[in-house]
Amino acid sequence: MITLFVSLFISLSSLLFGEHDSVELVFAGDAMQHTAQLNAAKTSNGTYSFEGCFDAITPYVQAADYAVVNLETPIGGGNYSGYPMFCAPDSYSIALKNAGFDLMLTANNHALDRRDKGVKRTLDILDQQGLEHVGTYRNKADREKALPFIKDINGFKIAFLNYTYGTNGITVQNDVVVDYINKTEIKKDITEARANGAEVICVCMHWGVEYVLLPNAQQKDLADFLTEQGVDLIVGGHPHVIQPMEMRWSKTHNKKVFLIYSLGNLISNMTTKDTRGGALAKVKLVRDENGNPAIDSASYRLVFTLQPGSNSKNFRIIPVEDYTSGPLKSNCDVFVNNAEKIFNKHNIDVPRDTTSIRVK
């Protein structure tokens, strides 16, 4: 009798919630575009090719049902530049798309590096390339139309929001909108997302202090605030170094909440010991016995940026476990050791994944 009941329940659940009963999300850190990366990508005919930059992680990213990355540069259209005022070629976002990333986060401190025009062109190019985006908007009406951004992934209705602490003192000139961190506005956006059917809410925060491996008081306060608002995923960036991850429990909402303080850099030309790499995070969502979405598990893996060499004209990301020898091996080891010290001491129920990534 019990077996029959279980079979009937499973069949009913399949009818109600579809064939998929889980979803895997992957999150990556800051996709930087420094001058050395531009110089390496420039071809003899003046175009820019980022071939090979993301090949080693592409199978991992593409295996996810949905992948998110922080695009920390405008796609400004000419006069390309690195730090301190970034501007990347159109082919840079194409390379991220080809690597398997689906959603570009655009609210960060470099969002206005090419002023309002750069914001609008970035969004136009991402739209043309079929890349989804959240965090900046052409104008208020564009924001109202775009939000709440709710993505149906395997039958899970997931809302994504993106906010930044600032834009390096550069202000909006005319009518573009950058979503800055403001508790009142964030609470309103979360409420509207729930009202419009979001089952899961992911808030991506550009926050914290650069090059510091632990979160500050403001990050902790905001993380607690977001947890109290009932969000499910909190994903942080900006420090350019990794910071701890937590699988915390919300007593108020009786559920798990996955918190990442900082994923560090995805790719960059930063060369200090902790900025040469970053983390990729994977989270699995499932449905409970009542059909409600819940976090099943989360894990991270470490990646390291290799500078151009005999094996590649471009900068390349590589899983740290695959970098067994080379001119930067000692640098990679230092990065890994420092990251593991932080994660082993401060992570809560978020283990490291070292399974092999096979290049397709």
Side-chain angles (χ1 to χ4, degrees):
M1 185 68 179
I2 295 176
T3 303
L4 177 60
F5 175 79
V6 172
S7 297
L8 289 172
F9 177 79
I10 293 173
S11 298
L12 180 60
S13 297
S14 297
L15 290 172
L16 289 174
F17 307 118
E19 295 181 1
H20 299 286
D21 59 358
S22 67
V23 60
E24 283 192 343
L25 307 175
V26 162
F27 297 92
D30 302 333
M32 309 297 294
Q33 180 60 103
H34 290 104
T35 301
Q37 294 168 261
L38 282 166
N39 292 340
K42 192 170 185 178
T43 67
S44 58
N45 63 9
T47 60
Y48 292 82
S49 170
F50 297 90
E51 182 179 1
C53 289
F54 308 105
D55 286 358
I57 64 164
T58 293
Y60 179 83
V61 178
Q62 290 185 348
D65 296 301
Y66 201 68
V68 181
V69 64
N70 174 46
L71 178 65
E72 194 146 353
T73 173
I75 308 297
N79 296 318
Y80 306 123
S81 59
Y83 182 82
M85 305 292 285
F86 291 114
C87 181
D90 299 359
S91 53
Y92 187 59
S93 48
I94 291 175
L96 289 167
K97 178 182 178 179
N98 291 340
F101 290 105
D102 304 289
L103 178 65
M104 304 285 114
L105 305 176
T106 56
N108 53 63
N109 57 306
H110 289 285
L112 291 175
D113 279 7
R114 288 303 169 98
R115 306 304 194 273
D116 291 35
K117 183 179 179 180
V119 170
K120 292 180 178 180
R121 190 182 187 280
T122 298
L123 301 180
D124 288 344
I125 293 301
L126 295 180
D127 285 342
Q128 290 173 22
Q129 294 173 353
L131 281 164
E132 293 171 319
H133 48 83
V134 65
T136 58
Y137 309 90
R138 297 171 182 86
N139 48 52
K140 184 177 179 180
D142 185 45
R143 185 184 192 277
E144 291 175 352
K145 181 180 178 181
L147 295 184
F149 175 71
I150 301 174
K151 184 71 177 179
D152 189 322
I153 309 171
N154 289 356
F156 289 71
K157 293 180 172 59
I158 306 175
F160 293 89
L161 298 166
N162 177 211
Y163 306 92
T164 180
Y165 75 92
T167 45
N168 292 343
I170 305 172
T171 57
V172 169
Q173 297 168 304
N174 295 300
D175 56 349
V176 304
V177 176
V178 177
D179 273 348
Y180 294 102
I181 295 172
N182 177 296
K183 286 183 177 180
T184 300
E185 291 300 317
I186 293 173
K187 183 175 182 178
K188 179 182 176 183
D189 291 342
I190 291 169
T191 300
E192 289 183 355
R194 290 287 186 203
N196 281 272
E199 301 176 284
V200 175
I201 295 181
C202 174
V203 180
C204 300
M205 303 289 279
H206 208 72
W207 60 4
V209 180
E210 290 183 335
Y211 318 124
V212 177
L213 292 164
L214 292 174
N216 63 12
Q218 183 186 43
Q219 286 171 279
K220 292 179 180 179
D221 175 72
L222 285 166
D224 291 342
F225 166 77
L226 292 169
T227 300
E228 285 300 306
Q229 300 311 307
V231 308
D232 303 271
L233 309 170
I234 306 167
V235 180
H238 171 64
H240 301 302
V241 296
I242 60 89
Q243 290 182 345
M245 307 177 186
E246 299 177 9
M247 189 68 77
R248 51 170 56 185
W249 181 261
S250 171
K251 294 181 180 179
T252 303
H253 300 280
N254 194 36
K255 65 179 181 180
K256 290 180 181 179
V257 178
F258 182 38
L259 164 64
I260 304 168
Y261 278 113
S262 175
L263 287 166
N265 288 328
L266 174 65
I267 191 170
S268 77
N269 185 43
M270 291 186 173
T271 57
T272 57
K273 60 184 179 181
D274 296 317
T275 61
R276 288 181 179 270
L280 298 172
K282 179 185 290 184
V283 58
K284 182 179 180 180
L285 304 174
V286 297
R287 290 196 180 276
D288 63 20
E289 64 274 9
N290 298 315
N292 297 316
I295 297 175
D296 177 70
S297 61
S299 63
Y300 73 91
R301 64 187 315 131
L302 297 174
V303 293
F304 186 78
T305 298
L306 297 180
Q307 295 171 332
S310 58
N311 293 326
S312 175
K313 177 181 179 294
N314 279 319
F315 285 71
R316 292 185 296 135
I317 307 167
I318 188 167
V320 296
E321 57 271 12
D322 290 349
Y323 192 40
T324 56
S325 64
L328 294 178
K329 181 63 169 64
S330 61
N331 300 89
C332 182
D333 289 344
V334 171
F335 162 72
V336 172
N337 289 337
N338 288 351
E340 285 194 322
K341 284 180 182 178
I342 292 296
F343 286 151
N344 290 342
K345 183 175 181 179
H346 298 282
N347 273 20
I348 300 175
D349 295 331
V350 185
R352 181 178 168 189
D353 178 8
T354 58
T355 57
S356 177
I357 298 176
R358 296 296 180 186
V359 178
K360 293 180 178 179

